[in-house]
Amino acid sequence: MTDTRRPTVLFVCVHNAGRSQMAAGYLRALAGDRVEVLSAGSEPGDALNPVAVEVMAEEGIDIAGYTPAILTTEAVRESDVVITMGCGDTCPIFPGKRYEDWELTDPAGRPAEEVRPIRDEIKARVEALIGELGVA
């Protein structure tokens, strides 16, 4: 019997305004409904980073409608994969989950020409993750 349950991936960064939102946008766009996508921040900002929204729009991905969310223990508990991006030890650890830390430059306060390479690195990592999850 095959497991037909969709894997759940949680992307976490401090403000949930840039890196984690770009990663979630890519995973939604590239994996569609084959993966449940969550994102949150340990100290969520008030709004998304406008430059992150801009560089994702260049890729045809609209993340403008999302808002930063607070990281909850429940979100971690229901996730199969938890990917952190600079939130340090603020993420609760549960046995049996897959944890990864993606070391990525924080796009906050940076111009678009500096955020594009961060976006492209996130895209490459998300594409690799989709392959590892077997949902390509």
Side-chain angles (χ1 to χ4, degrees):
M1 186 169 156
T2 10
D3 183 7
T4 55
R5 193 180 75 77
R6 299 184 307 165
T8 300
V9 177
L10 170 63
F11 294 103
V12 182
C13 67
V14 177
H15 300 298
N16 191 222
R19 295 167 289 188
S20 56
Q21 291 284 353
M22 289 191 284
Y26 270 124
L27 188 55
R28 280 188 213 98
L30 299 174
D33 61 1
R34 295 182 305 274
V35 177
E36 179 73 29
V37 181
L38 306 172
S39 74
S42 52
E43 298 172 26
D46 296 327
L48 294 193
N49 176 336
V51 179
V53 173
E54 174 191 334
V55 301
M56 289 300 286
E58 293 171 1
E59 292 278 289
I61 299 173
D62 182 8
I63 61 169
Y66 294 92
T67 52
I70 186 76
L71 175 64
T72 64
T73 301
E74 189 55 41
V76 177
R77 187 178 288 121
E78 66 190 47
S79 298
D80 300 297
V81 180
V82 179
I83 296 175
T84 57
M85 305 170 180
C87 67
D89 298 326
T90 59
C91 194
I93 303 290
F94 289 99
K97 306 260 177 237
R98 173 177 162 187
Y99 292 89
E100 280 185 37
D101 185 52
W102 291 359
E103 289 189 27
L104 297 161
T105 304
D106 188 347
R110 296 177 187 275
E113 57 272 9
E114 291 180 26
V115 176
R116 284 185 195 103
I118 300 167
R119 173 202 65 196
D120 296 345
E121 173 72 14
I122 290 169
K123 181 179 184 181
R125 290 176 185 234
V126 167
E127 288 172 337
L129 177 65
I130 289 169
E132 291 164 10
L133 292 174
V135 295

